[in-house]
Amino acid sequence: MKCCVVSLFPDLVAQVAEHGVIGRAAERGLLELTFENPRDYADDVHRTVDDRPYGGGPGMVMKYEPAAAAIRAARARLPEGSPVVCLTPQGQVFDQSTARRYAELPGLVLLAGRYEGIDERLMSAVDEELSLGDFVLSGGEIAAMAVIDAVTRLLPGVLGDAESAVQDSFMAGLLDHPHYTRPEDVAGQKVPSVLLSGDHAQIARWRYKQALGRSFLRRPELISKLELDREQQALLDEFLKESGKET
Ligand code: 9D3
């Protein structure tokens, strides 16, 4: 996957590929990360990339021309069929199904804005708008890094077999079950005995029950989306009985 990020702070975004899984994917050429900086396309001596909003008000607006030129340069680096995605609080909320869709693409331009916003006319050069959710960031860079991380993990060969298997397991769409490691007893807090039993079928059943139960209690909309079958409903009922929270 070729990804070109249009940003005034390319060094910030480049950090996503300096460590860990994404760094390894970049080293191995599975992810090709490049940058275009609108400041390099500003034509005045001050290399101006922002200006005051028409109509007045606080803050500055990212100017059309330098950003549009940077987007053109980014598109020229990437194969045909690489959409331009703008990170903005006004976008659709990014999720795993969007990450899966992007992982199928030959390339992706990510436009990260700064300031109070970007000139609306840039949207004619944008195919999609994405948000991370309803909270305020200082700009689109951290959101672009989140998209790069989530998409790169889905590229063939990036994760090992074990990690990939976990990713598309039957737990999909649910919150994770609890995890424990040594010691067995932390000031009286014991590891659930089933995890010490060596009975792998029972362990899998317990983990699935926990995943259903936690999802129901913390993120009920995930459960509604799944439409549980009878077996899953029975397992959830068992969880709620054990936790003393009846339906
Ligand atoms: C306090 C500023 N807000 C006035 C109502 C508007 C605003 C402008 C620019 C809020 C945030 C930003 C910068 N944010 C992003 O570029 C951004 C973002 C976000 O803030 N939250 C969640 N996802 C994203 S994606 C890009």
Side-chain angles (χ1 to χ4, degrees):
M1 140 93 51
K2 294 186 203 300
C3 180
C4 185
V5 182
V6 175
S7 164
L8 295 168
F9 299 99
D11 298 349
L12 169 59
V13 182
Q15 288 191 62
V16 74
E18 282 176 17
H19 301 281
V21 169
I22 312 307
R24 236 155 8 245
E27 275 168 25
R28 295 165 60 204
L30 301 170
L31 168 70
E32 278 183 56
L33 193 55
T34 57
F35 300 94
E36 290 291 347
N37 190 338
R39 203 169 288 284
D40 295 335
Y41 298 90
D43 50 14
D44 64 318
V45 284
H46 302 294
R47 305 214 292 163
T48 307
V49 292
D50 63 323
D51 206 340
R52 288 165 301 154
Y54 277 118
M60 298 292 271
V61 176
M62 204 157 157
K63 282 172 71 65
Y64 176 83
E65 286 155 304
I71 292 170
R72 270 195 297 280
R75 295 193 55 168
R77 288 179 179 277
L78 302 187
E80 202 75 14
S82 304
V84 178
V85 174
C86 179
L87 288 312
T88 159
Q90 280 73 50
Q92 292 295 116
V93 177
F94 183 60
D95 64 7
Q96 193 67 12
S97 69
T98 308
R100 281 193 291 266
R101 180 161 59 82
Y102 290 171
E104 303 285 321
L105 296 170
L108 198 58
V109 176
L110 295 176
L111 170 61
R114 280 273 153 174
Y115 312 117
E116 206 46 37
I118 68 181
D119 190 302
E120 188 64 22
R121 292 163 295 187
L122 276 164
M123 291 310 141
S124 60
V126 166
D127 299 299
E128 293 184 42
E129 298 177 46
L130 279 189
S131 166
L132 287 195
D134 296 334
F135 50 88
V136 180
L137 295 172
S138 306
E141 281 79 8
I142 288 174
M145 292 164 81
V147 171
I148 293 165
D149 188 290
V151 172
T152 303
R153 294 172 57 79
L154 297 175
L155 299 176
V158 168
L159 298 185
D161 287 345
E163 291 168 300
S164 300
V166 168
Q167 219 166 31
D168 42 40
S169 80
F170 68 114
M171 299 275 194
L174 293 176
L175 300 183
D176 210 353
H177 57 76
H179 298 266
Y180 297 89
T181 187
R182 292 190 291 179
E184 260 184 62
D185 187 325
V186 175
Q189 292 195 89
K190 301 258 173 42
V191 174
S193 58
V194 61
L195 299 179
L196 309 175
S197 69
D199 183 339
H200 295 292
Q202 278 308 115
I203 291 168
R205 185 176 187 278
W206 180 85
R207 286 178 170 164
Y208 194 54
K209 181 169 66 180
Q210 295 297 315
L212 281 167
R214 277 155 54 123
S215 301
F216 177 83
L217 293 178
R218 301 178 188 197
R219 299 285 304 280
E221 79 281 9
L222 295 179
I223 295 291
S224 318
K225 223 188 282 183
L226 278 179
E227 299 182 7
L228 303 188
D229 61 27
R230 310 239 347 198
E231 207 178 337
Q232 292 170 314
Q233 190 59 55
L235 214 45
L236 176 56
D237 290 345
E238 191 177 306
F239 174 94
L240 292 170
K241 197 164 287 165
E242 286 167 5
S243 71
K245 289 170 184 156
E246 284 287 356
T247 29

